[in-house]
Structures are given as structure tokens and as C-alpha cells.
């Protein structure tokens, strides 16, 4: 059996019509003669309900549009009442507190060629997204009157551990490589320094030579013999192509005589600490001086 109930929630009178022989609800066995009009009337009530509901929905839509328009109007009035300037014609501008701190004003967007950060500890953090772990994370900051470039060393990329690769303290001294300030020198480096070119000094280059930092001190023996086995050379450089004729020693030759003066780099190339030759030359000159005095009969 098939039945249809015209319920009140869609405009009906809660009347049920079916295809049975029921004397009250059925359309079968001649019942359609008496109940068809009832069913049709219920159907029309449903249609009327649908129409009324649609009109109500459209009314809500129109009311919502009106409300949105009114909201914009009210927002503009609220802006005016609060001393907030109008949005009109303010593209590419930002709202800031006015100089008197009594309200707000529109100002031109910051020029990114000159950006000022004002804070008790202003900082900028750089995180390379295609790297993982501690790699590719740096931070520049100003704190306590000093500038620092920090390199993150924490796997969590949160700077819980880091190295201050470059600092400029309040006294204007520059610290490179995470070293401690010696409170004296303008530029201080911690670690090795590679210069691909000429290193020039208008005054002098010095090495720490204080006895307080030296141990196992012995006098160089056979300085003259070592000098006799060394060779001074003239040569040109194939790696820099400066066209100059240089004077010096060959690291491989010197290593056979004075290995302490030869340093092997990470790239396998040998370099020479020419300052190390000085003490050897001192002892060689002393030995020659002794021979001269002996030959002159002035024995010591």
C-alpha cells in the first residue's frame, strides 16, 4: 500500500491519503471519487506554503543586504566618532598612533629600503625552509647596546644554543667567531682567517710570544745546519696569475728541514709560517759569529 500524509510542517492538515479501500483514507474501490479533491486541496496548500516560505527567505536575503549596507554606514559613523580617518583613498597606507597619542592617523607604508625596528630587544630571524635541524637558521638582534649576528646550533631551530658569529659591542669593538672581548682591540677574530689576496698593515703584525703561555722551552740546535739545507727560490704563482715574480721557499723542501714551519690546509695545499724561520736564523747567525771569533783567535 502507498500513502501520502500532508503534514502541517509543509502546509498540510495532517491528512493521509492512500490507495487502499479504506472508507476514510483510501482512493481504491471508488474512494477516489470522494477523496481526490481532498488530496488536491492538500497539495495546493503545500504549494502555497512553499511559495510563502520562498518569499520569507527572499525577505531575509534583502534584509541581510540592507543590514550589511547599514553596518558599513554605522562603521563609518563609529570611525568618525572615534577619530579614525576614513578608508577612502588610503591604498598602500597604514594606520598609526598620531604624534600626540590621542588617536590614530594614516601614514604612508614603510619604505622597505629603510626599515626601523623599535623594541627593547629588536631582532630579525632568518629560517631557510628547505633546510632541516640546526642548519640555515640565523638571527640579528640588538640587546644591551650591542649588535649580534647569531648562528643557531639547536636541532629544534629555537636558538636555545647558538654562536655569536659577529658582535659589535657598545664600545664599538667587533668580535668575530664567538670569541670573548679582550677590552682592547677594535677587531677581534676567534679561529683561522683566510685572505685570498694581499694582507696589508700600515704598522706591524705581531704574534703572542709571552713566556707565560709557553711550555717545554728548549734552544734550537744546529740552526746553521738547517739554514744550509734550506733553499731560497724565485717563482711565479699559477693560482693567482698576478704576473709577479715572488721570492720565498718551497713548502715541500722546507718540511724536510723544519716541519714546524709547514702547515697543511683542509684542501691539502701546504703553507709556510715564515715567522718560524726567524728563530732558526738567529741561532744560525750566532753559530757563524762563534766561528768567526774562533778564526780570529777571540775564543769565548
Amino acid at each position: 500500500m502507498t500513502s501520502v500524509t500532508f503534514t502541517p510542517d509543509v502546509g498540510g492538515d495532517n491528512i493521509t491519503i492512500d490507495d487502499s479501500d479504506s472508507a476514510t483514507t483510501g482512493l481504491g474501490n471508488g474512494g477516489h471519487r470522494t477523496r481526490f479533491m481532498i488530496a488536491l486541496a492538500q497539495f495546493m496548500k503545500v504549494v502555497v506554503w512553499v511559495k510563502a516560505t520562498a518569499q520569507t527567505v527572499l525577505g531575509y536575503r534583502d534584509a541581510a543586504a540592507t543590514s550589511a549596507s547599514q553596518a558599513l554606514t554605522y562603521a563609518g559613523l563609529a570611525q568618525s566618532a572615534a577619530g579614525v580617518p576614513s578608508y577612502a583613498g588610503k591604498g598602500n597606507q597604514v594606520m598609526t598612533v598620531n604624534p600626540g597619542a590621542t588617536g590614530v592617523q594614516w601614514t604612508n607604508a614603510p619604505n622597505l629600503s629603510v626599515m626601523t625596528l623599535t623594541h627593547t630587544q629588536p631582532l630579525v630571524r632568518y629560517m631557510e625552509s628547505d633546510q632541516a635541524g640546526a642548519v640555515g637558521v640565523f638571527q640579528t638582534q640588538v640587546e644591551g647596546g650591542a649588535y649580534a649576528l647569531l648562528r643557531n646550533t639547536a636541532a629544534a631551530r629555537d636558538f636555545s644554543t647558538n654562536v655569536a658569529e659577529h658582535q659589535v659591542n657598545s664600545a664599538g669593538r667587533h668580535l668575530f667567531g664567538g670569541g670573548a672581548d679582550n677590552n682592547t682591540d677594535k677587531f677581534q677574530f676567534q679561529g683561522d682567517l683566510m685572505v685570498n689576496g694581499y694582507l696589508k698593515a700600515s704598522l706591524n703584525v705581531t704574534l703572542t710570544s709571552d713566556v707565560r703561555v709557553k711550555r717545554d722551552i728548549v734552544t734550537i740546535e744546529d740552526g746553521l745546519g738547517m739554514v744550509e739545507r734550506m733553499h731560497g727560490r724565485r717563482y711565479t704563482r699559477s693560482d693567482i696569475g698576478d704576473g709577479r715574480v715572488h721570492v720565498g721557499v718551497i713548502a715541500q723542501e722546507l718540511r724536510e728541514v723544519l716541519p714546524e714551519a709547514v702547515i697543511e690546509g683542509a684542501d691539502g695545499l701546504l703553507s709556510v709560517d715564515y715567522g718560524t724561520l726567524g728563530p732558526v736564523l738567529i741561532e744560525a747567525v750566532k753559530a757563524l759569529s762563534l766561528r768567526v771569533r774562533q778564526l780570529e783567535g777571540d775564543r769565548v
Side-chain angles (χ1 to χ4, degrees):
M1 181 182 68
T2 302
S3 66
V4 175
T5 300
F6 297 91
T7 58
D9 61 332
V10 294
D13 294 325
N14 207 30
I15 293 176
T16 300
I17 303 296
D18 58 39
D19 59 357
S20 70
D21 295 336
S22 171
T24 56
T25 63
L27 293 176
N29 194 24
H32 63 281
R33 297 171 181 263
T34 58
R35 297 196 227 301
F36 178 74
M37 292 306 297
I38 296 174
L40 184 60
Q42 292 294 305
F43 176 76
M44 289 306 298
K45 281 191 174 184
V46 171
V47 171
V48 172
W49 178 87
V50 170
K51 179 180 178 181
T53 302
Q55 289 176 336
T56 301
V57 171
L58 291 175
Y60 290 154
R61 181 202 63 182
D62 295 339
T66 301
S67 297
S69 177
Q70 290 175 339
L72 290 175
T73 301
Y74 294 150
L77 293 174
Q79 277 186 305
S80 178
V84 179
S86 171
Y87 293 126
K90 302 303 180 184
N92 297 322
Q93 292 190 343
V94 295
M95 191 175 291
T96 61
V97 177
N98 63 30
T102 58
V104 294
Q105 65 182 17
W106 290 106
T107 59
N108 291 327
N111 182 355
L112 294 183
S113 63
V114 180
M115 184 170 62
T116 301
L117 299 180
T118 302
H119 194 269
T120 56
Q121 184 186 345
L123 61 85
V124 178
R125 183 167 292 182
Y126 309 87
M127 303 186 71
E128 191 175 1
S129 60
D130 59 352
Q131 298 292 335
V135 179
V137 185
F138 293 85
Q139 176 173 301
T140 56
Q141 67 181 45
V142 177
E143 183 179 13
Y147 161 86
L149 167 61
L150 307 182
R151 176 174 57 86
N152 171 70
T153 57
R157 315 190 102 192
D158 59 0
F159 286 86
S160 55
T161 59
N162 62 80
V163 175
E165 295 292 358
H166 179 210
Q167 299 180 71
V168 183
N169 60 29
S170 58
R173 291 188 292 273
H174 295 248
L175 283 66
F176 296 89
D181 185 10
N182 64 14
N183 297 314
T184 302
D185 297 310
K186 177 72 173 178
F187 297 95
Q188 304 168 43
F189 292 84
Q190 176 71 25
D192 298 332
L193 175 65
M194 174 64 185
V195 178
N196 188 15
Y198 294 101
L199 180 62
K200 301 178 181 179
S202 60
L203 294 177
N204 202 354
V205 177
T206 62
L207 302 176
T208 300
S209 190
D210 196 300
V211 69
R212 290 171 291 184
V213 299
K214 297 183 177 183
R215 296 182 302 174
D216 304 325
I217 301 173
V218 296
T219 301
I220 296 173
E221 297 181 354
D222 194 26
L224 182 58
M226 285 191 286
V227 170
E228 289 176 337
R229 294 161 55 198
M230 295 179 188
H231 304 281
R233 307 290 191 184
R234 285 192 174 92
Y235 52 86
T236 58
R237 294 280 298 268
S238 61
D239 55 341
I240 57 178
D242 59 357
R244 293 183 53 193
V245 175
H246 298 263
V247 174
V249 296
I250 304 302
Q252 284 81 353
E253 294 177 349
L254 182 62
R255 186 163 56 178
E256 298 299 323
V257 180
L258 187 63
E260 298 89 340
V262 179
I263 301 170
E264 183 173 354
D267 55 3
L269 293 178
L270 303 181
S271 59
V272 172
D273 177 8
Y274 279 90
T276 304
L277 302 180
V280 177
L281 295 176
I282 289 173
E283 294 303 316
V285 171
K286 288 167 62 178
L288 283 175
S289 177
L290 178 59
R291 288 190 183 183
V292 169
R293 289 199 301 270
Q294 288 174 344
L295 290 174
E296 292 177 346
D298 183 14
R299 300 184 180 276
V300 177

